[in-house]
Amino acid sequence: MPQPVAPLTSDLAKKYRQQRRGALTLYGVALLLLLSIFAWILYEQYRQELQTLETRNAARADVVVEWAKGVFAQSGQALFSVAELVQLEGMPTEGESSAIQQALRNRTRSVDWVDDIGVIDAEGIVQASARSADSIGRDLSSSSFFQKFRDQDDRTELVTPLYSTAPDERYYLYQARRLTRDNGEFDGIAVARISPAVFERALQRLGVSNGESIALVDGELKLIARLPSLEDPFTAGWQVDSPETLAMLERDVDKWSLRVTSPLDQRERLFQMQWIEELPLLVVVGEDVHLQLANWRQRAGILAGVMLLIAILGAWGVRHYLNRLRFEHRLHQSEAELRISATAFQTHLGMLIADANGHVLKVNNTFTRITGYSEAELVGKSPRMLNSGRHDAAFYRKLWQRVQVAGSWEGEIWSRRKNGDVFPEWLTISAVYDPQGTLTHYVATMSDISESKAAEQEIHQLAFYDPLTGLANRRLFMDRMEAALKDVNRHSRWGALLFIDIDNFKQINDTLGHYVGDQLLQHLARLMGQMLRETDTLARLGSDEFAVLIEGLGKSREHTAELAENIAQKLQDMISQPMTVRDDCLSVTASIGITVVSDHTSTVDDYLQQADMALFQAKSSGRCALSFFDPTMQAELLARVRLENELRQALANEEWQLYFQPQVDQDGRCIGVEGLLRWQHPERGLVMPGVFIPLLESTELINPVGDWVLEAACQQLAQWAHQPGFAELSVAVNVSPLQFRQVDFVNKVESILQRTGAPSHKLKLEVTESLFVEERDDAREKMLQLKQQGVRFALDDYGTGYSSLAYLAHLPLDQLKIDQSFVQQVIDSKANAAIVESTIALAQSLSLEIVAEGVERDDQQAWLLAHGCRAYQGFLYGKAMPLNVLEMWLRHEHLAL
C-alpha cells in the first residue's frame, strides 16, 4: 500500500534547492578556477622548458657549424696553395716525382684531418697523390664532382657528400678546387680526401651531456659522425630514414627545430637542425625530451597533490554546509505543512475530498465556480452526478482500477456543469491511506481546460487548413500524400492526384474585386467537397489552385486513369455551372492536370511536379482542358529549363548574330534588308528563331536581347552610311510587344541612335497586331515620339492576328507586310488571293507601302506585281544571310548598286 507523503511547499523546496545548488556551483567554480590556474602554471613551465632546450640546442649547433666551417676553410686553404703551385710548376706527369708531389705530402702533414690530397688533370686522370701512390693514373673523368668542374666554368670549389671508394669501400668527404691555366682554361682539379673519423674525434672533444646527441649528416642524409657513438650498423655512410626531416628539406629552409623519435637510438628528442653555409652538411643537435622534462614532471606531481588536497578539503566543507542546510529545511518544512493544510482549498484548482465510500465531504470555492454546484448540494452525494455521458462504463472501471493499484490517476476527462454544459477538464484523483495502510479518503483536483482546448483546436485549424475555404492546406495535403504512398505499397491500390486551376481567375479579381473572387473560391470549394468522397482529400494550394488526392481507385494504371478522368470531367462540369455574387452572374472554367499515383518509389515532390507539369500542359492547350502527365512531358520541361539557362548566357558569351534578308523592288534592286536574329550555339550550332523566340518572350529575356538587336542594326546602318552602294539601304528589325511596352523604350531607341550615329530614317521597326490589343493609346504615343525622330514603322504578319481597320487608320504606320502564309497560296487558293488583293487595295488607300513576304516563285511575284505590290521579300531573292555574305551578294549579283 502506498504510504502518505507529506507535501513540500514550493517556496521552501525552491529555496533549499537554490541554496544547495549555489553551494555546489561555488565549489565547482572554485575547483575549476584552481585547476585552470595550476594547468596554466604547468603549461607555462612546460613551454619554458622546451624553449630553453631549443635555445641550448641552437647554441650548440652554432658551435658545431663554426667548427666545421673552420675545418673546411683550412683544407680549402691547403687546396688553394696546391692550385697556385700547379699553376706555377705546371701539371705533373704520371709517376713523376716532383715538387708538387712533395708539396702534397707537406700539406697532408700540416692539416691533420686531411687524409689525402691529389691532383687530377683536365682529362680526369690522377697525376699526383700525397699518400695513395696506387691511385696515380686512375681515371676519374666519370665522377660527378669532376664533371661539375669540367662542365661549369663558374664553379671554383666543391664539397661532396659521402662517397665510398674502392678497394676498401670506406666513406670519405671530398673537397675539390678548380685548376686553371694562364689563359683561364680548365686544367683539372686539386682534391682533398677527408675521413669521417676526423669529425667523430672532434665531436668527442666537444663532449655531450646526459641525453644529448650531436651528429653530422650530408646532403643525402647519410650519417658522417655522431656523439655518442653507436654500434654497427650505425657507422659512417648509414642512410638516415626520417620522413619528418625529408619533409623539412623539401621546404628549403636553413635551420629548424623538430621533435621526433630518433631513428638511431629510438629516443624522443628535440632536434635543432642547421645547414652549414655553402657546404652539403647538416648539423643535428638533439636533447632527450624525457630526461630534460624530469624536473617538470616532478613539479607537476607536487602541484597535482596540492590540488587533490584542496579539492578534498573543499568537498568536506561543502558536505558540512549541505548537512546544515538539510537540517534547517526539515525544521521549516514541518512548520509549513501546518500552514498548507489551512490554505489548500484556496488554490486556483478545484478540489474535492470524499470518504472511502466515495461520498463528498468537502469542496473548495474554485470547484463551485467551475461546476456551478455549491458545497451544500454535493456533500454526502456521489461525484457521479458530474458525469458527462461521453465516457462508457469501461472507461470509469479502468480509471478506478488504476487508483486502487497505483494510488492515483490523472488525465483529460469530460464533465457536466450544473446548467448541463459539457466541458473538458484535467482531473487528478489520489487515494489517501493512514499509517496502517487503510484507505481513508479520496482527494480530487480539477482544472477547466475549455479555453486551452479551443486554442489548441484553433492552432490546429490554422496549421493544417486554409482559412478562406476551410479545406486542407499544403502542409496537411503533403502529410496525406505521404500516407497515401505507404498505402499504395501496402494494399496495391493505385490512386490519382489532380491539380485544378481556375481559368482567368485574375481577371475576376481585377475587374470585380477580391471579395467576389473569395466568394467564388468558397463556392467552388463547397461544390467540390460535396462531389468527392469523404476518403478523398481536397486542398487549396494557392490563390486559385486546388488539389485532389483520390486513393484506392483501381489495381491497374489504365483503370485508375479512366476513373480519374471521369472524376475530373465531373469536376469541370460542376465548376462551369453559373453562380451569382452581388447580382453578378459568374461562369468560370477549370484546367486540370492528372497523374496516377502508382508506386512508392517516387516521392511526394515527384508526384506534385508531375501533376504541375500536366496542369501546365492543360493550360497551354486552351481553357477548360484536361491533361495527363506523360514522362516525355518531363523530358521536354527539363530540355526547356536547360535551353533557358543557356539563353541567359548567350548574350554574355556573344553568341547572338544578326542575319539579313534582302527586300527588293519590281526590278530586282535591293532597297533594304530585314535584320533577323540567329543564335550560334557552341554545341547545337545555328539555332533558328522558332526554337528560342517563344522562350525569350515567356522569360522576358526578349528585352535585353531586343536591345542588342536594335544596337547591332543601328551600328550597321551607321557603317553603311559612309559606303557607296549601301548608303540607301534601310534596315528593319522586329520589336516584341513586351519590348515595346517598356516604360523607357523610346528613350532606349533614341539613345541607341545617338550613340551609334545611325540615320534614323533608315531604321524601320516591325510590330505585330498583338501590340495594339491592349494599351493601344500608349503604343500610338510611343510611335509618334519615335516618328518625330525619323524612325519608320511596319506592321508585320498582317492578317494573321486581330486585324482591324480601326487601328490601321489611327496608327502612324509607314508599311504593311503581307504574311507569307497568304502569299504562298495566291496561285492555288482563291480565298488567299482575295485576301492579298484586298490587303494591297487597303494599303494603297491608306497610302502605306506594302511588302509581300515569303515570295519563292516567279509566278507568285508576277501575280503580286499585276495586283499592285512592288516590293518583295523571300527565298526567290535570297535567304537570311550573315553580313559578309550579304555584302558579297550585293556587290556581285546587283551591280546596279
Side-chain angles (χ1 to χ4, degrees):
M1 285 289 185
Q3 297 299 318
V5 179
L8 298 176
T9 65
S10 60
D11 288 342
L12 285 176
K14 182 178 180 181
K15 182 178 179 182
Y16 169 70
R17 288 194 299 269
Q18 288 177 343
Q19 290 175 330
R20 185 175 181 273
R21 185 165 54 248
L24 293 175
T25 302
L26 181 61
Y27 171 72
V29 170
L31 195 62
L32 182 62
L33 180 61
L34 284 175
L35 182 61
S36 301
I37 293 174
F38 285 174
W40 178 79
I41 292 173
L42 288 175
Y43 171 74
E44 284 298 313
Q45 291 179 351
Y46 178 82
R47 189 176 59 82
Q48 290 175 6
E49 289 283 353
L50 291 181
Q51 187 174 2
T52 301
L53 187 59
E54 187 173 341
T55 303
R56 187 164 65 246
N57 284 347
R60 292 281 281 176
D62 288 337
V63 171
V64 176
V65 167
E66 292 303 321
W67 170 82
K69 288 168 65 175
V71 167
F72 284 97
Q74 291 191 37
S75 59
Q77 185 63 34
L79 290 176
F80 176 76
S81 64
V82 170
E84 287 185 333
L85 183 59
V86 172
Q87 189 174 14
L88 179 64
E89 298 290 337
M91 178 63 66
T93 59
E94 182 178 343
E96 177 186 11
S97 177
S98 64
I100 293 178
Q101 192 78 20
Q102 183 62 36
L104 294 179
R105 287 192 289 270
N106 293 337
R107 296 298 187 277
T108 304
R109 288 192 294 268
S110 62
V111 183
D112 58 357
W113 50 82
V114 174
D115 185 71
D116 192 7
I117 297 179
V119 176
I120 303 173
D121 64 14
E123 301 301 325
I125 305 300
V126 179
Q127 297 294 347
S129 176
R131 296 181 178 176
S132 302
D134 55 346
S135 65
I136 297 175
R138 187 177 176 185
D139 187 356
L140 297 180
S141 60
S142 61
S143 62
S144 61
F145 67 88
F146 176 80
Q147 291 177 356
K148 289 181 180 178
F149 280 102
R150 184 187 62 192
D151 299 337
Q152 300 177 10
D153 295 338
D154 58 345
R155 181 173 292 279
T156 303
E157 290 189 3
L158 173 68
V159 176
T160 71
L162 284 175
Y163 276 98
S164 64
T165 62
D168 55 5
E169 295 186 354
R170 296 176 61 189
Y171 281 93
Y172 294 96
L173 292 169
Y174 293 90
Q175 184 175 10
R177 184 175 184 86
R178 184 185 190 89
L179 302 178
T180 58
R181 299 187 181 98
D182 293 338
N183 59 4
E185 294 182 355
F186 176 65
D187 195 27
I189 58 175
V191 182
R193 187 175 68 184
I194 304 173
S195 173
V198 172
F199 298 99
E200 188 168 350
R201 291 194 300 270
L203 291 180
Q204 288 175 352
R205 288 196 296 271
L206 285 175
V208 292
S209 60
N210 186 24
E212 183 183 17
S213 69
I214 303 176
L216 277 176
V217 181
D218 70 2
E220 298 175 352
L221 291 189
K222 291 196 290 289
L223 182 65
I224 299 173
R226 184 185 187 273
L227 191 67
S229 300
L230 295 170
E231 299 296 333
D232 288 340
F234 304 112
T235 57
W238 184 77
Q239 184 69 47
V240 179
D241 183 13
S242 174
E244 296 85 0
T245 305
L246 287 173
M248 294 304 296
L249 291 178
E250 290 178 358
R251 294 172 56 182
D252 194 22
V253 293
D254 295 333
K255 60 175 67 176
W256 65 92
S257 181
L258 191 64
R259 182 175 177 178
V260 294
T261 300
S262 171
L264 299 178
D265 58 9
Q266 305 303 315
R267 297 171 70 175
E268 185 184 15
R269 297 180 184 275
L270 180 63
F271 290 103
Q272 176 69 23
M273 301 184 179
Q274 182 173 339
W275 284 109
I276 301 177
E277 185 178 1
E278 298 181 354
L279 296 175
L281 301 179
L282 183 65
V283 175
V284 182
V285 177
E287 289 275 7
D288 189 315
V289 176
H290 182 77
L291 290 177
Q292 298 301 323
L293 293 179
N295 291 335
W296 176 84
R297 288 194 298 273
Q298 184 178 9
R299 292 194 298 271
I302 295 173
L303 285 176
V306 172
M307 180 65 192
L308 179 61
L309 180 61
I310 293 175
I312 293 173
L313 291 175
W316 179 82
V318 170
R319 179 174 177 273
H320 177 73
Y321 176 74
L322 292 179
N323 288 335
R324 187 168 61 86
L325 277 181
R326 190 178 300 108
F327 174 77
E328 293 178 355
H329 171 68
R330 289 176 178 174
L331 181 62
H332 289 298
Q333 178 184 359
S334 300
E335 297 174 354
E337 286 179 350
L338 296 176
R339 294 193 299 269
I340 290 173
S341 60
T343 59
F345 277 6
Q346 306 306 318
T347 179
H348 65 285
L349 297 176
M351 296 190 67
L352 177 149
I353 299 177
D355 59 21
N357 296 320
H359 297 122
V360 177
L361 298 177
K362 188 173 182 61
V363 298
N364 66 354
N365 294 333
T366 305
F367 187 94
T368 297
R369 178 175 53 79
I370 293 175
T371 63
Y373 289 102
S374 65
E375 185 177 43
E377 293 173 313
L378 291 171
V379 170
K381 298 180 181 179
S382 171
R384 293 191 182 92
M385 61 189 302
L386 301 175
N387 289 356
S388 65
R390 292 195 177 187
H391 305 289
D392 56 15
F395 172 82
Y396 291 106
R397 186 164 53 253
K398 291 180 180 179
L399 184 155
W400 287 108
Q401 286 176 352
R402 178 68 179 174
V403 173
Q404 297 300 325
V405 173
S408 65
W409 177 92
E410 66 174 338
E412 184 179 315
I413 192 172
W414 289 84
S415 293
R416 187 180 301 277
R417 306 186 204 272
K418 182 178 179 180
N419 61 8
D421 292 342
V422 175
F423 68 98
E425 66 173 351
W426 188 262
L427 177 66
T428 300
I429 301 176
S430 299
V432 181
Y433 298 87
D434 61 15
Q436 288 73 37
T438 302
L439 175 66
T440 59
H441 299 85
Y442 292 104
V443 176
T445 60
M446 61 181 295
S447 60
D448 189 344
I449 58 173
S450 301
E451 293 183 0
S452 61
K453 290 286 287 185
E456 179 182 337
Q457 180 62 30
E458 183 178 359
I459 292 172
H460 182 270
Q461 187 72 20
L462 292 175
F464 293 100
Y465 293 90
D466 175 51
L468 177 64
T469 62
L471 300 178
N473 61 11
R474 180 177 290 273
R475 179 180 177 182
L476 180 56
F477 189 77
M478 297 286 280
D479 291 344
R480 299 278 177 85
M481 279 290 297
E482 291 281 2
L485 291 185
K486 295 178 182 178
D487 286 342
V488 167
N489 183 41
R490 187 182 304 114
H491 304 299
S492 299
R493 296 283 292 180
W494 293 7
L497 175 62
L498 283 65
F499 271 14
I500 305 170
D501 185 83
I502 309 303
D503 298 323
N504 300 324
F505 180 74
K506 183 177 182 299
Q507 294 183 3
I508 296 177
N509 275 339
D510 294 342
T511 57
L512 301 179
H514 287 277
Y515 172 79
V516 175
D518 291 347
Q519 292 295 308
L520 173 62
L521 293 176
Q522 291 174 341
H523 174 73
L524 295 179
R526 285 194 299 271
L527 290 179
M528 288 189 286
Q530 292 170 2
M531 198 203 83
L532 296 170
R533 304 174 303 178
E534 291 185 0
T535 57
D536 300 333
T537 300
L538 173 63
R540 181 183 178 220
L541 304 184
S543 174
D544 61 334
E545 186 173 316
F546 297 87
V548 178
L549 175 62
I550 306 173
E551 300 182 56
L553 273 181
K555 291 191 175 183
S556 68
R557 176 180 291 274
E558 293 75 14
H559 185 219
T560 302
E562 181 181 352
L563 295 175
E565 184 178 9
N566 292 336
I567 295 172
Q569 289 176 347
K570 291 180 180 179
L571 287 172
Q572 284 183 324
D573 294 340
M574 182 204 64
I575 292 172
S576 62
Q577 296 175 3
M579 67 167 290
T580 302
V581 179
R582 284 187 173 180
D583 299 328
D584 292 320
C585 184
L586 302 180
S587 180
V588 296
T589 58
S591 299
I592 301 180
I594 308 173
T595 185
V596 175
V597 181
S598 58
D599 64 87
H600 69 289
T601 57
S602 299
T603 65
V604 172
D605 289 336
D606 292 336
Y607 283 115
L608 293 177
Q609 187 181 38
Q610 292 174 10
D612 193 53
M613 284 189 288
L615 178 61
F616 177 80
Q617 185 69 21
K619 293 170 64 177
S620 300
S621 60
R623 297 174 57 188
C624 197
L626 186 152
S627 178
F628 274 86
F629 168 76
D630 187 345
T632 58
M633 186 188 306
Q634 187 170 17
E636 292 174 358
L637 178 62
L638 293 176
R640 184 177 184 273
V641 171
R642 180 185 176 189
L643 186 63
E644 179 180 338
N645 292 334
E646 292 172 346
L647 276 176
R648 295 185 183 277
Q649 301 299 323
L651 189 59
N653 296 338
E654 299 181 354
E655 297 171 5
W656 295 119
Q657 292 186 5
L658 200 60
Y659 276 43
F660 301 92
Q661 186 174 30
Q663 296 175 340
V664 303
D665 61 11
Q666 61 188 17
D667 299 321
R669 185 171 61 91
C670 185
I671 56 177
V673 295
E674 180 179 359
L676 298 171
L677 184 63
R678 297 292 186 269
W679 183 13
Q680 188 62 47
H681 193 280
E683 298 176 1
R684 303 170 187 260
L686 190 64
V687 184
M688 302 305 288
V691 176
F692 60 81
I693 289 295
L695 192 53
L696 284 177
E697 291 183 339
S698 65
T699 57
E700 297 190 2
L701 289 173
I702 192 69
N703 294 330
V705 175
D707 295 343
W708 178 88
V709 172
L710 272 174
E711 184 94 20
C714 289
Q715 287 177 353
Q716 193 56 55
L717 276 174
Q719 293 177 10
W720 281 344
H722 305 291
Q723 300 180 29
F726 297 94
E728 297 303 320
L729 293 178
S730 64
V731 176
V733 293
N734 292 280
V735 179
S736 166
L738 291 175
Q739 184 183 1
F740 200 94
R741 291 182 184 127
Q742 293 180 100
V743 176
D744 59 344
F745 176 73
V746 174
N747 292 333
K748 282 186 177 181
V749 177
E750 292 176 345
S751 298
I752 291 173
L753 288 170
Q754 183 178 5
R755 184 167 56 253
T756 60
S760 58
H761 65 284
K762 295 296 182 182
L763 176 64
K764 190 187 304 176
L765 301 183
E766 295 189 1
V767 296
T768 59
E769 295 168 305
S770 60
L771 174 64
F772 312 113
V773 175
E774 299 178 7
E775 302 179 1
R776 185 195 311 171
D777 293 339
D778 178 69
R780 182 175 183 275
E781 182 63 29
K782 290 179 179 177
M783 292 173 69
L784 289 173
Q785 293 179 33
L786 291 174
K787 288 279 287 186
Q788 293 177 357
Q789 303 293 326
V791 178
R792 305 174 68 210
F793 286 90
L795 183 62
D796 196 14
D797 301 335
Y798 180 74
T800 61
Y802 306 94
S803 302
S804 172
L805 297 178
Y807 66 73
L808 283 179
H810 290 87
L811 294 175
L813 294 169
D814 299 284
Q815 190 180 78
L816 200 63
K817 299 188 74 175
I818 305 175
D819 187 70
Q820 61 180 350
S821 62
F822 300 119
V823 172
Q824 292 173 358
Q825 299 292 325
V826 294
I827 304 300
D828 304 320
S829 171
K830 292 183 179 181
N832 280 281
I835 292 173
V836 174
E837 187 176 359
S838 62
T839 301
I840 295 172
L842 176 63
Q844 291 173 345
S845 66
L846 294 175
S847 299
L848 297 177
E849 299 174 4
I850 190 159
V851 176
E853 293 183 303
V855 180
E856 299 180 355
R857 305 198 310 264
D858 290 330
D859 58 346
Q860 295 172 350
Q861 189 269 340
W863 189 96
L864 291 166
L865 178 60
H867 288 81
C869 178
R870 295 177 174 78
Y872 320 101
Q873 179 179 342
F875 289 172
L876 181 61
Y877 309 100
K879 297 182 179 180
M881 58 192 80
L883 176 63
N884 59 339
V885 178
L886 172 71
E887 292 181 341
M888 185 182 301
W889 180 83
L890 289 172
R891 288 191 181 98
H892 297 287
E893 300 296 333
H894 296 269
L895 299 178
L897 293 176

